[in-house]
Amino acid sequence: GYVSADFRRHVVARNILPLFHHHDRSQFEIFCYSNVLPANADEYTEKFRRYANVWRGIEVLSDSQAADLIRQDRIDILVDLALHTAKNRLLVFARKPAPIQVTFAGYPGSTGLDTIDYRLTDPYLDPPEITGDRYSEISFRLPDSFWCFDPVANDPRASPLPAQSRGFFTFGSLNGICKVNNHILRLWAKVLRNVDRSRLMMLSPKGNSTRALLETLQQEGITPDRIEFFSQRPRHEYLELYHRIDLGLDTLPYNGHSTSLDSFWMGVPVITLV
């Protein structure tokens, strides 16, 4: 059984749809417990419906009612796909309606619940020698990757290195602006100071946040003409932005996840820190 409010057009949906597509139906019967309001349902919702053996809408059920329904369905393994993101149903999991409970996909963290037995991760997100067992759940490390990435696009294709035609080097971070803090801006400014004529591309809506970012960078000696801001846009147009980036810069301490995978898909490597 999978519990989620993101069986809709959402980054989590994009990353788990391939899992549902490739699920071994000879070994598993798939129940979806959807916390998606009917008004928010879309083509992704319909895809998940088709992949599910049984679809349950729990958006109007209390946590206790949802837990009772899961018990009645005799679910063996119940999977949380949200952790502490919006519209999660962790209080359903707190009632332990299934004998084995797992968290996955929302982000590679911990729920903090002792009623969730396992968290799925991988050796790169959680090197055993570094992270150990600092989570409330037991870490189950998948051998290759935590993600089931689907680019949801066959094009645009990766481009040649933009610096070859533009005459200057462009760094980029197309992560949500909420991941960008003063510490990371000062680190990026140090990078820009050390690469003559280099530029930085960022995603940011026009307004106070953009002005605050420019002020911090100016304090670090980076003039506004070296910074390019872009607003959010449809996915194809967003992927085309990578044609202008030579090297991605990761955010810290909350790293890029799907954004980094998008960058790799478009042939743009990303520099990060452990």
Side-chain angles (χ1 to χ4, degrees), residues 183-254:
H183 169 73
I184 197 67
L185 285 173
R186 287 191 288 268
L187 190 61
W188 290 350
K190 186 176 179 181
V191 171
L192 292 170
R193 286 197 303 269
N194 280 275
V195 181
D196 291 341
R197 300 177 60 232
S198 60
R199 308 283 184 90
L200 174 64
M201 281 177 52
M202 301 172 65
L203 275 185
S204 178
K206 292 181 179 179
N208 292 335
S209 61
T210 300
R211 287 191 290 273
L213 293 169
L214 286 174
E215 287 175 6
T216 300
L217 290 168
Q218 281 185 280
Q219 292 169 8
E220 296 296 317
I222 306 301
T223 55
D225 61 302
R226 298 179 66 183
I227 312 299
E228 293 182 273
F229 292 108
F230 294 87
S231 59
Q232 290 187 335
R233 55 202 58 216
R235 182 159 179 80
H236 184 92
E237 296 175 27
Y238 151 74
L239 290 174
E240 286 182 330
L241 291 177
Y242 287 100
H243 289 165
R244 305 177 61 167
I245 299 173
D246 297 287
L247 185 65
L249 297 178
D250 202 3
T251 50
L252 301 164
Y254 191 77

Side-chain angles (χ1 to χ4, degrees), residues 251-270:
T251 50
L252 301 164
Y254 191 77
N255 308 97
H257 294 202
S258 295
T259 307
S260 295
L261 300 180
D262 289 337
S263 188
F264 301 153
W265 174 253
M266 294 304 298
V268 179
V270 178

Side-chain angles (χ1 to χ4, degrees), residues 1-4 7 16-34 45-57 70 73-79 81 104:
Y2 292 91
V3 181
S4 180
F7 293 130
I16 62 173
L17 199 57
L19 169 66
F20 279 66
H21 177 72
H22 293 284
H23 238 307
D24 184 352
R25 293 303 194 280
S26 69
Q27 296 293 320
F28 297 96
E29 185 179 19
I30 308 304
F31 282 64
C32 284
Y33 296 93
S34 171
T45 313
E46 289 309 308
K47 288 179 181 178
F48 281 109
R49 275 182 178 271
R50 290 197 294 269
Y51 285 133
N53 297 101
V54 179
W55 181 270
R56 305 286 199 209
I70 292 165
D73 287 336
R74 299 176 64 84
I75 296 298
D76 296 297
I77 302 173
L78 189 67
V79 185
L81 298 173
F104 173 57

Side-chain angles (χ1 to χ4, degrees), residues 12-217:
V12 169
R14 283 212 319 273
N15 281 344
I16 62 173
L17 199 57
L19 169 66
F20 279 66
H21 177 72
H22 293 284
H23 238 307
D24 184 352
R25 293 303 194 280
S26 69
Q27 296 293 320
F28 297 96
E29 185 179 19
I30 308 304
F31 282 64
C32 284
Y33 296 93
S34 171
N35 203 40
V36 178
L37 294 171
N40 295 330
D42 54 29
E43 72 276 13
Y44 274 84
T45 313
E46 289 309 308
K47 288 179 181 178
F48 281 109
R49 275 182 178 271
R50 290 197 294 269
Y51 285 133
N53 297 101
V54 179
W55 181 270
R56 305 286 199 209
I58 62 169
E59 68 277 1
V60 298
L61 300 184
S62 69
D63 295 319
S64 180
Q65 289 171 328
D68 287 343
L69 177 62
I70 292 165
R71 289 191 189 96
Q72 291 167 19
D73 287 336
R74 299 176 64 84
I75 296 298
D76 296 297
I77 302 173
L78 189 67
V79 185
D80 161 57
L81 298 173
L83 291 88
H84 290 275
T85 58
K87 302 189 187 317
N88 71 75
R89 300 303 297 266
L90 288 180
L91 291 180
V92 172
F93 287 81
R95 289 164 167 79
K96 195 69 172 178
I100 299 174
Q101 301 196 144
V102 182
T103 189
F104 173 57
Y107 53 89
S110 176
T111 63
L113 292 182
D114 57 14
T115 55
I116 294 187
D117 306 286
Y118 300 97
R119 56 185 293 274
L120 299 188
T121 182
D122 66 37
Y124 310 102
L125 288 168
D126 283 293
E129 68 277 10
I130 295 177
T131 59
D133 292 314
R134 65 175 63 176
Y135 304 97
S136 60
E137 310 89 355
I138 295 172
S139 294
F140 186 95
R141 291 173 175 85
L142 300 166
D144 296 315
S145 177
F146 168 87
W147 287 283
C148 310
F149 178 71
D150 182 353
V152 199
N154 291 322
D155 54 11
R157 301 295 185 182
S159 67
L161 195 72
Q164 292 177 332
S165 58
R166 303 184 79 189
F168 54 85
F169 201 85
T170 302
F171 298 98
S173 178
L174 303 185
N175 286 281
I177 203 63
C178 60
K179 295 184 181 181
V180 178
N181 53 56
N182 285 340
H183 169 73
I184 197 67
L185 285 173
R186 287 191 288 268
L187 190 61
W188 290 350
K190 186 176 179 181
V191 171
L192 292 170
R193 286 197 303 269
N194 280 275
V195 181
D196 291 341
R197 300 177 60 232
S198 60
R199 308 283 184 90
L200 174 64
M201 281 177 52
M202 301 172 65
L203 275 185
S204 178
K206 292 181 179 179
N208 292 335
S209 61
T210 300
R211 287 191 290 273
L213 293 169
L214 286 174
E215 287 175 6
T216 300
L217 290 168

